[in-house]
Amino acid sequence: MGSSFGKLFTISSFGESHGGGVGVIIDGCPPRLELDINEIQNDLNRRRPGQSKITTPRNESDEVEILSGLLGNKTLGTPIAMVVRNKDHRPKDYSEIKKTFRPSHADATYQKKYGIQASSGGGRASARETIGRVAAGSVAKQLLNKSAKTEILAWVKRIHDIEAEIHPSEVTFDEIEKNIVRCPNQSAADLMIQRVEAFGKEGDSCGGVIECVVRNPPIGIGMPVFDKLEADLAKALMSLPATKGFEVGSGFGGTYLKGSEHNDPFLPSDSNQLKTATNNSGGIQGGISNGEDIVLRVGFKPTATIRKSQKTIDEDGNAITLKATGRHDPCVLPRAVPMVEAMVALVLADHLLRQRGQCPD
Amino acid sequence: MGSSFGKLFTISSFGESHGGGVGVIIDGCPPRLELDINEIQNDLNRRRPGQSKITTPRNESDEVEILSGLLGNKTLGTPIAMVVRNKDHRPKDYSEIKKTFRPSHADATYQKKYGIQASSGGGRASARETIGRVAAGSVAKQLLNKSAKTEILAWVKRIHDIEAEIHPSEVTFDEIEKNIVRCPNQSAADLMIQRVEAFGKEGDSCGGVIECVVRNPPIGIGMPVFDKLEADLAKALMSLPATKGFEVGSGFGGTYLKGSEHNDPFLPSDSNQLKTATNNSGGIQGGISNGEDIVLRVGFKPTATIRKSQKTIDEDGNAITLKATGRHDPCVLPRAVPMVEAMVALVLADHLLRQRGQCPD
Amino acid sequence: MGSSFGKLFTISSFGESHGGGVGVIIDGCPPRLELDINEIQNDLNRRRPGQSKITTPRNESDEVEILSGLLGNKTLGTPIAMVVRNKDHRPKDYSEIKKTFRPSHADATYQKKYGIQASSGGGRASARETIGRVAAGSVAKQLLNKSAKTEILAWVKRIHDIEAEIHPSEVTFDEIEKNIVRCPNQSAADLMIQRVEAFGKEGDSCGGVIECVVRNPPIGIGMPVFDKLEADLAKALMSLPATKGFEVGSGFGGTYLKGSEHNDPFLPSDSNQLKTATNNSGGIQGGISNGEDIVLRVGFKPTATIRKSQKTIDEDGNAITLKATGRHDPCVLPRAVPMVEAMVALVLADHLLRQRGQCPD
Amino acid sequence: MGSSFGKLFTISSFGESHGGGVGVIIDGCPPRLELDINEIQNDLNRRRPGQSKITTPRNESDEVEILSGLLGNKTLGTPIAMVVRNKDHRPKDYSEIKKTFRPSHADATYQKKYGIQASSGGGRASARETIGRVAAGSVAKQLLNKSAKTEILAWVKRIHDIEAEIHPSEVTFDEIEKNIVRCPNQSAADLMIQRVEAFGKEGDSCGGVIECVVRNPPIGIGMPVFDKLEADLAKALMSLPATKGFEVGSGFGGTYLKGSEHNDPFLPSDSNQLKTATNNSGGIQGGISNGEDIVLRVGFKPTATIRKSQKTIDEDGNAITLKATGRHDPCVLPRAVPMVEAMVALVLADHLLRQRGQCPD
């Protein structure tokens, strides 16, 4: 259970880090959507390991194969199944951590929950699981773009204590992709890259914050009460591995303001659009999008796998000293940027369809 | 859509702020659970307006009536329907804000979404909607307590910039309930009460942070991938009105640490339980509870309704100056404490049943 | 669990035969639908006991109260909660069957499943539960009628071995309601009424078949694979109490035909509509409506409660002779007609919204 | 939408008749279940075309590959993905029926619904879609057998007007598999095979009835109201291609009985089991299994694809005469036997887990 997401634009994900492969089925994508398959592969390439000197050197090409749901490059309205084969097994690297509960990993909790777990590599808790999310999210991005010219961009806002000043309303995709850390402020990016490399050399790791903007979101999507847009976004993003916090609009910072400071005055307008003087709401009011930019941030903890030796226990509760030797990311954030975009896109696509279902005009 | 929550312990909520009443159906509560009905009413009393000088003076007794699902005070396993009648309509107070889009309220987005809205009082976006959550959450708390001696406590951690030092592992219910602001640190509480009163006099409002601990959570609950425990908690809490941020365990603060600082070493143990030296994970690893305390925090923005005059627009886009005269809370946090407990309880109860469903031993 | 139905037009039902009341929440009804509340009450009146000499003499007025979701008589797009109070408890009538497992009732299975059950009257298995279905179905019928001029009519086709010849494409509501058995063939109806009265006097009961037609169904609704329109109709109708069989179009009779006899040739047409020479498909092909009349039939077993003495057991497995004295229907079919219409309407309304959600044009 | 089934034992299916392949993900299978992979392949072999002289000569080996969810042959509790590649495309056979609306096929309704469809072979409406059902159903059968020694057997009860006398409580798997028509009454089977061959030679087709028994079903599974066991079985079976009717226990025949004839008296017993003197209920009372054999029947219409020439229209509404030349089954029933078993197993497995989730003892 727990491997499906979305009510109308529904994805079902499968696959362990080792085994035949990982993948996803999208059920509910509208018909006659012209897909750019290259964009899907590009998003997977932005996610894949081995893409730069600050990611894990594991080299997986992660080529996607689409098994169903298309006529040429047009969607049929039926399930779109996408599979990426696991190529670079190398289970030997993971052998020593096989029976050990690695600190702050899922080894121990999976064992308590299921009484069994994948022999190596993190199984279902491996970041490799996110391949399905990114592939499906890429389709969702294309749907949103075709339907409402919606644009979703995420970037690295902070790594460790290096925070970049960035204006969400102005960031471009090219600025983000210009450097390997995916921070559209080049001077901050340079410092971030140095910091990640330094931690990598120490055998340590670091975390930070990813920020995301949605421009031209569909207006009026999101539901009252439980399925508020920010609630579904929070779930989507807190379901990514290594996340510790989520905020939307003014976020935790906004909780220091007075009501008179925080409220977003509506501006007079001839059009049918809503326009606010400020955007502390982050584009969402009462759980429903108002058409302003949706802005959110996600906190990622430092990667749990480090080369430094650590005290822990084995399956039987015995004390053990662990020194991991596998190839891991000293910082997940650059690779997590397309994951954040994907999850945001999946939520918006789902709510776009839900809005059409209940309020078709 | 959007008024149901939970997969096995499912609640369906209904009701506007004005109209016949508000309520909730719980479907999936296990049979033969002995309910203390008084506890449900007590939780509603902690939520109700008019309970102290720092909440809205609207006085609603919010008496719950249980229509189904019980034999005496024992659950039948069938849907438990609970209704609270709306008594204190007073629609006249709201008359002037009828056709105005109040800043940072849901008036405008509801209108854009539905093309119609409740005549007054916020309709479905009113905090009155949370009555159903609190009543259902009270049942969930009792289920968890009977099943696993689980205890869920929330309190006000910060109001505006007054932050209380509190040790989640030691807080008691009585300490929380000792003062009207529900902060178990009395000296901080005194300052908070003054601050809220001061803002109330100004016709302004403030926000802050609520913290919550779960002691003795069921071990092994939560699902891989999308239905991670922290993901469902994030959704549950970000679905509460006025929330802007969520964090679990070390939260955003933890993103400043190195992996070697953040990882929680497992401690050797004879028992079948897991025990960690630190708890940056906040009791959840890989989306699954490890048995340590679950700790989380939720940021609430300042109440949108203020008496100070504000610039905004009417339904037709014309500029308007708004000065609300209704009776409102200058700070929602004291009343939101039982809401946070309720949402946490609903997530845990649901995942407890899901765990039994998939892994019954 | 199990008390909700529908994915986008979702209903959640509650209530035992005895207790505070029964009711339903509709979540997902589109906004701005003008409801005729009288029609809802009329459908409930067609369902209620005591309406004629061939139904149980229990006299329950079953007045519906709508607690939420409306502005005047227009839907808000938010949950519509409807409650009917239980008035005529009379638990004494049921006292003797309290601890007895009545043959072919749900007493025994509820006890095995839940280890507890409602003290009297069938609890959740009572036909009283269908009040929520009929009220919600009445809203669904109005939605379908406003959206697509869809008309849904059900009638009694057979009681015991008295089968009426009826042309589904020509039946009118008035013909159905002209007699108390709801069979639009008056001479057959007369025989049916006699038969039911005769069985009633014997203390026995009988079953039969209800037929239903949907005229002007929305075209293109229904989903491939699992959520085929006939599959969801089958589930909906087989969820009614006392049903033993379901068939659509040619049904079991059609399985005696050859392909060349059974296939429905498409007729040439200028319009964008589909038209077939015959309608063995019953308006559904590949799980999707083709615009022809949807025709289906449901078999109801004879009422399980009879006055004749029967051998059975008590809770402890001891042999017992049971002679029921409560007031029961010798034949449920006349009262089941609005239930069948309601379930069909709920399925169609749900699929109409699903179609809009995935294929909005 | 519509390609997932089940709430806790959930399957998601994908794939058109032509394209990369077809398959299924099972999400929610309990961990540590030892799977016999050969049994899965065996069930697929019972379903595959080309298995005998009375099925289509299309020869597809339908070899299943399991991509995830297993450690050796033990389930991990995570999604089990199974894929069967499409090998025998031969799109040319289907070329002439490409733009034609074949009578009583899904061509026309898919086109109306989606405005696009798979270029050939029926796409998602092809019986090839059932591969995923059969593979997943095989896993469900193994789960039920390990958990409760449950045995599920289906067989051909009638073809055209040749009906076999069969005692559901006594049928064995070997008797069913002894002949190519899968009817465990050899003399009836011989007649059926002749009949199918005769229709095949004529270029025509026929339908019939499949019967199914569940022995040792888990007791107490099934839910009140909407998710009654018979309702979910009805949906499951009416979602199979070509089905026109469903009945459980006494079925339509039972509607001719009086209550005193139809009721199943409970027999005195020392054990905690329920035992009834007759089984008109078909093992289900009030929607919940009572432990007696579950017996049901499904009616299949004659195969829509025939070689005889037929009048129909093309996409543009023009009259056309169609004479199909593809390789098709003159009768689907022998191959549908494992499909029926699979769907029944999927419903029971799902309800077994739901029962554990709500009532864990």
Side-chain angles (χ1 to χ4, degrees):
Chain A
M1 289 194 287
S3 287
S4 289
F5 186 81
K7 196 175 166 86
L8 292 195
F9 192 96
T10 309
I11 67 169
S12 299
S13 144
F14 69 88
E16 279 80 35
S17 52
H18 297 81
V22 296
V24 72
I25 302 173
I26 304 171
D27 193 15
C29 186
R32 303 185 308 277
L33 176 69
E34 218 159 312
L35 283 185
D36 183 340
I37 313 293
N38 290 333
E39 268 189 50
I40 302 174
Q41 188 61 55
N42 285 347
D43 274 335
L44 288 174
N45 293 346
R46 295 168 73 211
R47 193 219 73 93
R48 81 175 177 84
Q51 64 182 269
S52 81
K53 62 180 178 179
I54 58 168
T55 66
T56 168
R58 265 176 300 130
N59 209 328
E60 290 154 0
S61 63
D62 291 347
E63 265 174 72
V64 67
E65 181 187 11
I66 304 186
L67 292 177
S68 68
L70 297 186
L71 178 69
N73 64 344
K74 274 195 187 158
T75 58
L76 285 166
T78 57
I80 303 168
M82 299 189 278
V83 176
V84 170
R85 293 275 164 179
N86 290 334
K87 282 175 185 162
D88 183 20
H89 290 223
R90 294 185 62 171
K92 61 186 172 302
D93 268 34
Y94 296 87
S95 56
E96 91 196 79
I97 49 178
K98 208 172 170 181
K99 305 240 163 196
T100 302
F101 289 164
R102 294 171 296 169
S104 293
H105 268 89
D107 305 329
T109 50
Y110 269 59
Q111 189 65 40
K112 291 295 171 199
K113 182 178 192 69
Y114 293 119
I116 187 173
Q117 60 183 300
S119 60
S120 61
R124 195 71 181 133
S126 158
R128 191 155 177 79
E129 161 268 312
T130 59
I131 284 176
R133 304 180 189 237
V134 170
S138 194
V139 174
K141 279 198 278 187
Q142 296 188 43
L143 169 64
L144 289 160
N145 193 267
K146 295 261 163 69
S147 299
K149 305 206 177 192
T150 302
E151 185 185 26
I152 299 172
L153 290 177
W155 56 86
V156 171
K157 167 79 175 164
R158 177 164 62 73
I159 279 188
H160 199 229
D161 61 0
I162 305 168
E163 182 155 356
E165 210 191 308
I166 293 159
H167 299 289
S169 55
E170 294 163 19
V171 176
T172 67
F173 181 77
D174 289 345
E175 285 167 359
I176 295 165
E177 293 299 313
K178 203 158 61 183
N179 58 61
I180 58 176
V181 79
R182 294 202 168 86
C183 172
N185 173 325
Q186 190 61 48
S187 54
D190 292 339
L191 293 171
M192 288 173 178
I193 293 165
Q194 287 168 32
R195 185 67 55 90
V196 174
E197 287 192 294
F199 280 134
K201 272 174 203 151
E202 284 178 37
D204 216 325
S205 66
C206 57
V209 169
I210 289 179
E211 193 166 43
C212 182
V213 68
V214 182
R215 298 193 195 119
N216 294 322
I219 303 185
I221 69 169
M223 290 286 160
V225 187
F226 299 115
D227 296 354
K228 290 191 168 85
L229 197 54
E230 64 268 47
D232 277 346
L233 287 166
K235 170 167 174 148
L237 291 161
M238 293 298 297
S239 79
L240 284 172
T243 50
K244 300 304 288 180
F246 167 87
E247 51 180 26
V248 63
S250 64
F252 281 98
T255 66
Y256 288 96
L257 300 179
K258 296 195 282 185
S260 58
E261 297 161 344
H262 192 275
N263 281 354
D264 297 319
F266 288 107
L267 297 176
S269 160
D270 290 343
S271 82
N272 200 28
Q273 306 288 305
L274 294 168
K275 193 79 204 157
T276 58
T278 51
N279 188 15
N280 286 312
S281 301
I284 306 175
Q285 293 179 325
I288 298 166
S289 63
N290 65 6
E292 294 282 345
D293 288 355
I294 297 172
V295 182
L296 55 88
R297 284 166 297 282
V298 190
F300 289 81
K301 68 170 185 171
T303 319
T305 310
I306 55 177
R307 285 202 321 282
K308 280 191 175 167
S309 68
Q310 299 178 85
K311 290 191 184 304
T312 188
I313 58 170
D314 65 14
E315 274 185 74
D316 303 320
N318 303 313
I320 266 189
T321 298
L322 167 74
K323 211 181 156 190
T325 57
R327 298 151 301 158
H328 303 281
D329 293 276
C331 180
V332 298
L333 279 83
R335 291 178 56 202
V337 164
M339 299 178 202
V340 167
E341 291 173 6
M343 294 314 298
V344 170
L346 290 167
V347 170
L348 292 178
D350 191 45
H351 275 281
L352 174 66
L353 302 192
R354 292 177 72 178
Q355 173 68 359
R356 287 176 181 172
Q358 200 191 353
C359 313
D361 46 50
Chain B
M1 287 193 286
S3 287
S4 289
F5 186 82
K7 197 176 164 86
L8 293 194
F9 191 97
T10 309
I11 67 169
S12 299
S13 143
F14 69 88
E16 279 78 37
S17 52
H18 298 81
V22 297
V24 72
I25 303 173
I26 305 172
D27 193 15
C29 186
R32 304 187 308 278
L33 176 68
E34 218 160 312
L35 283 185
D36 183 340
I37 312 294
N38 289 333
E39 268 189 50
I40 302 173
Q41 188 61 56
N42 285 346
D43 274 335
L44 288 175
N45 293 346
R46 296 167 73 211
R47 191 218 76 91
R48 80 175 177 84
Q51 63 182 270
S52 80
K53 63 180 176 178
I54 58 169
T55 65
T56 167
R58 266 177 298 132
N59 210 328
E60 290 155 1
S61 62
D62 290 348
E63 264 173 73
V64 68
E65 182 188 10
I66 304 185
L67 292 177
S68 67
L70 296 186
L71 179 69
N73 65 344
K74 274 194 187 161
T75 58
L76 285 167
T78 57
I80 303 167
M82 299 188 279
V83 177
V84 169
R85 293 274 163 179
N86 289 335
K87 283 176 185 161
D88 182 21
H89 290 223
R90 295 184 61 168
K92 59 186 174 301
D93 267 34
Y94 296 87
S95 55
E96 90 196 79
I97 49 177
K98 210 172 170 181
K99 305 240 164 197
T100 303
F101 289 165
R102 293 171 295 169
S104 293
H105 268 88
D107 306 329
T109 50
Y110 270 59
Q111 189 65 40
K112 292 295 172 198
K113 182 178 190 70
Y114 293 119
I116 188 174
Q117 60 183 301
S119 61
S120 61
R124 195 71 181 134
S126 157
R128 191 154 177 80
E129 160 269 310
T130 59
I131 284 177
R133 305 181 189 236
V134 169
S138 193
V139 174
K141 279 198 279 186
Q142 296 188 43
L143 169 64
L144 289 160
N145 193 267
K146 294 263 161 69
S147 298
K149 307 207 174 191
T150 301
E151 186 186 25
I152 300 172
L153 291 177
W155 56 86
V156 171
K157 167 78 176 165
R158 176 163 62 74
I159 278 188
H160 199 230
D161 62 0
I162 305 169
E163 182 154 355
E165 210 191 308
I166 292 160
H167 300 287
S169 55
E170 294 163 18
V171 176
T172 67
F173 181 78
D174 289 345
E175 285 167 358
I176 295 165
E177 293 299 313
K178 205 159 57 183
N179 56 63
I180 57 175
V181 80
R182 295 203 168 85
C183 171
N185 173 325
Q186 190 61 48
S187 55
D190 293 340
L191 294 172
M192 288 172 177
I193 293 165
Q194 287 169 31
R195 184 70 54 89
V196 175
E197 288 192 292
F199 281 132
K201 274 174 202 150
E202 285 177 36
D204 215 325
S205 66
C206 57
V209 169
I210 289 179
E211 192 166 45
C212 181
V213 68
V214 183
R215 298 192 195 121
N216 294 322
I219 303 185
I221 69 169
M223 291 286 159
V225 188
F226 299 115
D227 295 355
K228 290 190 169 85
L229 197 54
E230 64 269 47
D232 278 346
L233 287 166
K235 170 167 173 146
L237 291 160
M238 292 298 296
S239 79
L240 284 171
T243 51
K244 300 305 288 181
F246 168 86
E247 51 180 26
V248 62
S250 64
F252 281 99
T255 66
Y256 289 94
L257 301 179
K258 297 195 281 185
S260 57
E261 296 162 344
H262 192 276
N263 281 355
D264 297 319
F266 287 108
L267 297 176
S269 159
D270 289 343
S271 81
N272 199 28
Q273 305 289 306
L274 294 168
K275 192 80 205 158
T276 58
T278 51
N279 187 16
N280 286 312
S281 302
I284 307 174
Q285 294 179 325
I288 298 166
S289 63
N290 65 7
E292 294 282 345
D293 287 355
I294 296 172
V295 183
L296 54 88
R297 282 166 298 281
V298 189
F300 289 81
K301 67 169 186 173
T303 318
T305 309
I306 55 178
R307 286 201 321 281
K308 281 190 175 169
S309 68
Q310 299 178 85
K311 291 193 184 302
T312 188
I313 59 171
D314 66 15
E315 275 185 73
D316 303 320
N318 303 313
I320 266 191
T321 298
L322 167 74
K323 210 181 155 191
T325 57
R327 299 150 301 156
H328 303 280
D329 293 276
C331 180
V332 299
L333 279 85
R335 291 178 56 201
V337 163
M339 300 178 201
V340 167
E341 291 173 6
M343 294 314 297
V344 170
L346 289 168
V347 171
L348 291 179
D350 190 46
H351 274 282
L352 173 66
L353 301 192
R354 292 177 72 178
Q355 173 67 358
R356 287 177 181 173
Q358 200 191 357
C359 314
D361 46 49
Chain C
M1 289 195 285
S3 287
S4 288
F5 186 81
K7 197 175 165 86
L8 292 194
F9 191 97
T10 308
I11 67 169
S12 298
S13 144
F14 68 88
E16 279 78 37
S17 51
H18 297 81
V22 297
V24 72
I25 303 173
I26 304 172
D27 193 15
C29 185
R32 304 186 309 278
L33 176 69
E34 219 159 312
L35 284 184
D36 183 340
I37 312 293
N38 289 333
E39 268 190 48
I40 302 173
Q41 188 60 54
N42 285 346
D43 274 336
L44 288 174
N45 293 346
R46 295 168 74 212
R47 192 219 74 93
R48 80 174 177 85
Q51 63 181 270
S52 81
K53 63 179 178 178
I54 58 168
T55 65
T56 167
R58 265 177 298 133
N59 209 328
E60 290 154 0
S61 63
D62 292 346
E63 265 175 72
V64 67
E65 182 188 11
I66 303 186
L67 292 177
S68 68
L70 296 187
L71 179 69
N73 64 344
K74 274 194 186 161
T75 58
L76 285 166
T78 56
I80 303 168
M82 298 189 278
V83 177
V84 169
R85 293 275 163 179
N86 290 334
K87 281 177 186 162
D88 182 19
H89 291 224
R90 296 185 60 168
K92 60 185 174 302
D93 267 33
Y94 296 86
S95 56
E96 91 197 76
I97 48 178
K98 207 173 171 182
K99 304 240 164 200
T100 304
F101 289 164
R102 295 171 294 170
S104 294
H105 267 89
D107 306 328
T109 50
Y110 269 59
Q111 189 65 40
K112 291 295 172 198
K113 181 178 192 69
Y114 292 120
I116 187 174
Q117 60 182 299
S119 61
S120 61
R124 194 71 180 134
S126 158
R128 192 154 176 79
E129 160 269 310
T130 59
I131 284 176
R133 305 180 189 237
V134 169
S138 193
V139 174
K141 279 197 279 186
Q142 296 188 43
L143 169 64
L144 289 159
N145 193 267
K146 294 263 163 66
S147 298
K149 306 208 176 189
T150 301
E151 186 185 26
I152 300 171
L153 290 177
W155 57 85
V156 172
K157 168 77 176 164
R158 177 165 59 76
I159 278 188
H160 198 231
D161 61 0
I162 306 168
E163 183 154 357
E165 210 191 308
I166 292 159
H167 298 288
S169 55
E170 294 162 19
V171 175
T172 67
F173 180 78
D174 289 345
E175 285 167 359
I176 295 166
E177 294 299 313
K178 205 160 57 184
N179 57 62
I180 58 175
V181 79
R182 294 203 169 84
C183 171
N185 174 324
Q186 190 62 47
S187 55
D190 292 340
L191 293 171
M192 288 173 178
I193 293 165
Q194 287 168 30
R195 184 69 54 91
V196 174
E197 287 192 293
F199 281 133
K201 273 174 203 150
E202 284 177 36
D204 215 326
S205 65
C206 57
V209 169
I210 289 179
E211 193 166 42
C212 181
V213 69
V214 182
R215 300 196 194 117
N216 294 322
I219 303 185
I221 69 169
M223 290 286 159
V225 188
F226 300 116
D227 296 354
K228 290 191 169 85
L229 197 55
E230 65 267 47
D232 278 346
L233 287 167
K235 170 168 173 146
L237 291 161
M238 292 299 296
S239 78
L240 284 172
T243 51
K244 301 305 288 181
F246 168 86
E247 51 180 23
V248 62
S250 64
F252 280 99
T255 66
Y256 289 94
L257 300 179
K258 296 196 279 184
S260 57
E261 296 161 343
H262 192 275
N263 281 354
D264 297 319
F266 287 108
L267 296 176
S269 159
D270 289 344
S271 81
N272 200 28
Q273 306 287 306
L274 293 168
K275 192 81 203 154
T276 58
T278 51
N279 188 17
N280 287 312
S281 301
I284 307 174
Q285 295 179 324
I288 298 166
S289 63
N290 65 7
E292 294 283 345
D293 287 356
I294 297 172
V295 182
L296 54 88
R297 283 167 297 280
V298 190
F300 289 81
K301 67 170 186 173
T303 319
T305 309
I306 55 178
R307 284 202 322 282
K308 280 192 174 166
S309 69
Q310 299 178 85
K311 291 192 183 303
T312 187
I313 58 171
D314 66 15
E315 275 185 73
D316 303 319
N318 303 312
I320 267 189
T321 298
L322 168 73
K323 210 181 157 192
T325 57
R327 298 151 301 156
H328 303 281
D329 292 277
C331 180
V332 297
L333 278 84
R335 291 178 54 202
V337 163
M339 300 178 201
V340 167
E341 291 173 7
M343 294 315 297
V344 170
L346 290 167
V347 170
L348 291 178
D350 191 45
H351 274 282
L352 174 67
L353 301 192
R354 292 177 72 178
Q355 173 67 357
R356 287 176 181 172
Q358 199 190 355
C359 313
D361 46 51
Chain D
M1 290 195 287
S3 288
S4 288
F5 186 82
K7 197 176 166 86
L8 292 195
F9 191 97
T10 309
I11 68 168
S12 298
S13 144
F14 68 89
E16 279 79 35
S17 52
H18 296 83
V22 296
V24 72
I25 303 173
I26 305 171
D27 193 15
C29 186
R32 302 187 308 278
L33 175 69
E34 219 159 312
L35 283 185
D36 183 341
I37 313 294
N38 290 333
E39 267 189 49
I40 302 173
Q41 188 60 56
N42 285 346
D43 274 335
L44 288 174
N45 293 346
R46 295 168 73 211
R47 191 218 75 92
R48 80 175 177 85
Q51 62 182 270
S52 80
K53 63 179 177 177
I54 57 169
T55 66
T56 167
R58 266 177 299 131
N59 209 328
E60 291 154 0
S61 63
D62 291 347
E63 264 174 71
V64 66
E65 182 188 10
I66 304 186
L67 291 176
S68 68
L70 297 186
L71 179 69
N73 64 344
K74 274 193 187 161
T75 58
L76 285 165
T78 57
I80 302 168
M82 299 189 279
V83 177
V84 169
R85 293 275 164 179
N86 289 334
K87 281 176 185 161
D88 181 21
H89 290 224
R90 296 186 60 171
K92 60 186 174 302
D93 268 36
Y94 297 87
S95 56
E96 90 196 77
I97 49 177
K98 210 173 170 180
K99 305 241 164 198
T100 304
F101 290 164
R102 294 170 294 170
S104 294
H105 268 88
D107 305 329
T109 51
Y110 271 58
Q111 189 66 39
K112 291 295 171 197
K113 181 178 192 69
Y114 293 120
I116 187 174
Q117 60 182 300
S119 60
S120 60
R124 194 71 180 133
S126 158
R128 190 155 178 79
E129 161 269 311
T130 59
I131 285 176
R133 304 181 189 237
V134 169
S138 194
V139 174
K141 279 198 277 187
Q142 296 188 43
L143 170 64
L144 289 160
N145 193 266
K146 294 263 163 70
S147 298
K149 306 208 175 190
T150 302
E151 187 185 24
I152 300 171
L153 290 177
W155 57 86
V156 172
K157 167 78 176 164
R158 176 164 62 75
I159 278 188
H160 199 229
D161 62 359
I162 306 168
E163 182 155 356
E165 209 192 307
I166 292 160
H167 299 288
S169 56
E170 293 162 19
V171 176
T172 68
F173 180 78
D174 289 346
E175 285 167 358
I176 295 165
E177 293 299 313
K178 206 160 58 184
N179 57 62
I180 57 175
V181 80
R182 293 202 169 87
C183 172
N185 173 324
Q186 190 62 48
S187 54
D190 292 339
L191 293 171
M192 288 172 178
I193 293 165
Q194 286 169 32
R195 183 71 53 91
V196 174
E197 287 191 293
F199 280 133
K201 272 174 204 150
E202 286 178 35
D204 215 324
S205 66
C206 56
V209 169
I210 289 180
E211 191 166 45
C212 181
V213 69
V214 183
R215 298 194 194 119
N216 294 321
I219 303 184
I221 70 170
M223 291 286 159
V225 188
F226 300 114
D227 296 354
K228 291 191 168 83
L229 197 54
E230 65 268 46
D232 278 346
L233 287 166
K235 169 168 173 146
L237 291 160
M238 292 299 295
S239 79
L240 284 172
T243 50
K244 299 306 287 181
F246 167 87
E247 51 180 25
V248 62
S250 64
F252 281 99
T255 66
Y256 289 94
L257 300 179
K258 296 195 281 185
S260 57
E261 297 161 344
H262 192 275
N263 281 354
D264 298 319
F266 288 108
L267 297 176
S269 159
D270 289 344
S271 82
N272 200 28
Q273 306 288 306
L274 294 168
K275 194 80 203 156
T276 58
T278 51
N279 187 17
N280 286 312
S281 301
I284 307 175
Q285 294 178 325
I288 299 166
S289 63
N290 65 6
E292 295 282 344
D293 287 356
I294 296 171
V295 183
L296 54 88
R297 283 166 298 281
V298 189
F300 289 81
K301 68 170 185 172
T303 318
T305 310
I306 55 177
R307 285 202 321 283
K308 280 191 175 167
S309 69
Q310 299 178 86
K311 291 192 183 304
T312 187
I313 58 170
D314 65 15
E315 275 184 74
D316 304 320
N318 302 313
I320 268 190
T321 298
L322 167 74
K323 209 181 156 190
T325 58
R327 299 151 300 156
H328 303 281
D329 293 276
C331 180
V332 298
L333 278 84
R335 291 178 56 202
V337 164
M339 299 178 202
V340 167
E341 291 173 6
M343 294 315 296
V344 170
L346 289 167
V347 170
L348 291 179
D350 191 45
H351 274 281
L352 174 67
L353 301 192
R354 293 177 71 177
Q355 172 67 358
R356 287 177 181 172
Q358 199 190 355
C359 313
D361 46 50

